[in-house]
């Protein structure tokens, strides 16, 4: 028995199985869909899970349902005030209808890039340069809305548009640099002036508080001096109440002694001292008179 033809037949069968089976059995993941065409007729999107195709009859086109992004390179546009600028941005999108994304558009990436470029020029043409530089969020929303209106018929939803870089003309860049430098200088001057103002206010407040504290200290010192002087006068008055007339006379005589030793030729004598001296003189006359009369009287 000749086994060679049989072995060749088995080998060809195994080869066909190895080639055909991968074409028949497709595993579709959760984030994918398989658009099936049978003899050129669309059968719809299949999946997720196991999908079986008829070899040489069915053809599948993979569709990714995840959110994807498309980078739009630098595009030159002219603003409303005739300034030429260069802008690049990113478009985020996701497929919401797998069948339409395959049937309605042949190359979504290329079509979306061209639509994004023309839409960008249309949006920038309605805005001034200052608005383009200052209102990126507005531009992002306008671009997203306009792009979504176009891609909606392709079964694609534009979820977000982000402008990455806006490059104005060199003359505008120089003017912006000078303006920024002047603004920083102005802020520095204002900050320095505010600091000097606050320092002057702080010094004035400190001087005010110091003056208040000094005045308060002087007032307290004056009160204490007055209280001490009043207390001293009270003590003197109390001491004077306990001094008799003879002691006062001796004190006045001591004062007269000191006055007599003074080189001055004029003296101011208080009235109390003259009355006291008159009393002392009368006392002395009585004392000496009594002594003389006593001496002439026989014992």
């Amino acid at each position: 028995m000749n086994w060679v033809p049989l072995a060749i037949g088995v080998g060809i069968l195994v080869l066909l199985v190895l080639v055909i089976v991968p074409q028949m059995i497709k595993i579709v993941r959760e984030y994918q869909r398989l658009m099936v065409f049978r003899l050129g007729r669309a059968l719809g999107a299949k999946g997720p899970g196991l999908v079986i195709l008829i070899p040489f009859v069915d053809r599948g086109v993979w569709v990714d349902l995840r959110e994807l992004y498309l980078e739009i390179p630098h595009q030159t546009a002219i603003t409303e005030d005739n300034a030429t600028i260069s802008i690049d941005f990113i478009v985020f999108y996701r497929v919401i209808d797998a069948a339409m994304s395959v049937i309605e558009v042949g190359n979504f990436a290329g079509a979306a890039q061209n639509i994004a470029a023309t839409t960008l020029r249309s949006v920038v043409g309605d805005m001034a340069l200052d608005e383009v530089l200052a209102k990126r969020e507005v531009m992002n929303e306008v671009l997203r809305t306009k792009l979504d209106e176009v891609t909606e018929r392709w079964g694609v939803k534009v979820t977000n548009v982000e402008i990455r870089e806006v490059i104005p003309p060199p003359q505008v860049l120089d003017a912006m640099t000078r303006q920024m430098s002047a603004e920083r200088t102005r802020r520095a001057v204002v900050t320095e002036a505010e600091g000097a103002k606050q320092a002057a206010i702080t010094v004035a407040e400190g001087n005010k508080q110091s003056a208040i504290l000094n005045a308060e200290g002087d007032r307290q010192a004056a009160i204490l001096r007055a209280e001490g002087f009043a207390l001293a006068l009270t003590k003197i008055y109390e001491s004077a109440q306990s001094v008799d007339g003879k002691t006062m006379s001796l004190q006045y005589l001591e004062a007269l002694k000191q006055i007599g030793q003074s080189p001055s030729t004029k003296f101011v004598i208080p009235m109390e001292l003259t009355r006291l001296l008159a009393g002392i003189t009368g006392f002395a006359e009585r004392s000496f008179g009594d002594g003389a009369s006593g001496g002439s009287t026989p014992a």
Side-chain angles (χ1 to χ4, degrees):
M1 185 176 180
N2 191 0
W3 294 95
V4 175
L6 181 61
I8 294 174
V10 172
I12 293 174
L13 180 63
V14 171
L15 181 61
L16 290 175
V17 170
L18 293 176
V19 172
I20 293 174
V21 169
Q23 299 295 327
M24 293 177 55
I25 300 175
K26 301 292 183 181
I27 305 298
V28 182
R29 296 179 177 85
E30 185 68 32
Y31 58 85
Q32 293 176 330
R33 294 295 182 269
L34 184 63
M35 186 63 188
V36 178
F37 292 89
R38 179 166 294 172
L39 298 177
R41 183 180 181 85
L43 297 182
K46 305 297 182 178
L50 179 64
V51 177
I52 298 177
L53 303 178
I54 300 175
F56 308 108
V57 176
D58 294 340
R59 186 178 68 89
V61 178
W62 293 97
V63 179
D64 197 332
L65 300 182
R66 293 176 294 183
E67 186 170 4
L68 306 174
Y69 68 91
L70 180 63
E71 293 186 4
I72 307 300
H74 281 278
Q75 301 293 325
T76 302
I78 301 176
T79 62
E80 187 179 18
D81 49 357
N82 296 323
T84 303
I85 60 175
S86 178
I87 302 176
D88 72 323
F89 57 98
I90 302 177
V91 178
F92 295 88
Y93 66 94
R94 64 182 307 172
V95 175
I96 57 177
D97 191 326
M100 293 179 63
S101 68
V102 175
I103 297 173
E104 298 295 334
V105 61
N107 182 7
F108 172 77
Q113 183 171 346
N114 288 302
I115 290 295
T118 56
T119 304
L120 174 67
R121 292 186 178 95
S122 175
V123 172
V124 172
D126 295 334
M127 301 177 66
L129 177 60
D130 292 339
E131 293 178 344
V132 173
L133 296 176
K135 298 181 179 179
R136 291 195 178 189
E137 294 297 330
V138 176
M139 288 186 59
N140 291 338
E141 184 60 26
V142 173
L143 286 172
R144 189 200 66 79
T145 303
K146 289 184 176 294
L147 288 174
D148 189 51
E149 292 175 356
V150 177
T151 59
E152 185 178 4
R153 65 175 182 263
W154 299 338
V156 178
K157 174 70 175 177
V158 177
T159 58
N160 195 15
V161 175
E162 290 293 337
I163 295 176
R164 293 194 300 184
E165 187 178 15
V166 178
I167 303 177
Q171 299 84 355
V172 177
L173 283 176
D174 294 339
M176 291 173 60
T177 302
R178 292 194 299 270
Q179 181 181 3
M180 182 175 59
S181 178
E183 180 65 20
R184 289 181 177 177
T185 302
R186 184 188 66 82
R187 291 181 181 179
V189 172
V190 171
T191 303
E192 185 177 357
E194 287 292 334
K197 176 183 175 182
Q198 292 297 327
I201 292 174
T202 303
V203 172
E205 289 291 336
N207 293 333
K208 176 183 175 182
Q209 293 296 328
S210 177
I212 292 174
L213 293 176
N214 291 332
E216 184 67 23
D218 294 340
R219 187 178 70 85
Q220 293 293 335
I223 291 174
L224 293 176
R225 287 195 297 269
E227 290 178 353
F229 186 68
L231 182 61
L233 290 177
T234 302
K235 293 296 184 180
I236 292 173
Y237 178 76
E238 291 177 357
S239 300
Q241 294 295 326
S242 61
V243 176
D244 55 0
K246 294 181 179 180
T247 303
M248 292 297 296
S249 299
L250 293 175
Q251 291 291 333
Y252 276 114
L253 289 176
E254 184 66 25
L256 289 176
K257 180 179 177 181
Q258 294 179 359
I259 289 172
Q261 295 177 356
S262 176
S264 301
T265 57
K266 295 181 181 181
F267 305 100
V268 179
I269 306 299
M271 295 298 295
E272 292 79 1
L273 181 58
T274 55
R275 288 196 296 270
L276 181 61
L277 291 176
I280 294 174
T281 304
F283 175 73
E285 290 178 353
R286 288 194 300 271
S287 297
F288 289 114
D290 292 340
S293 59
S296 60
T297 302

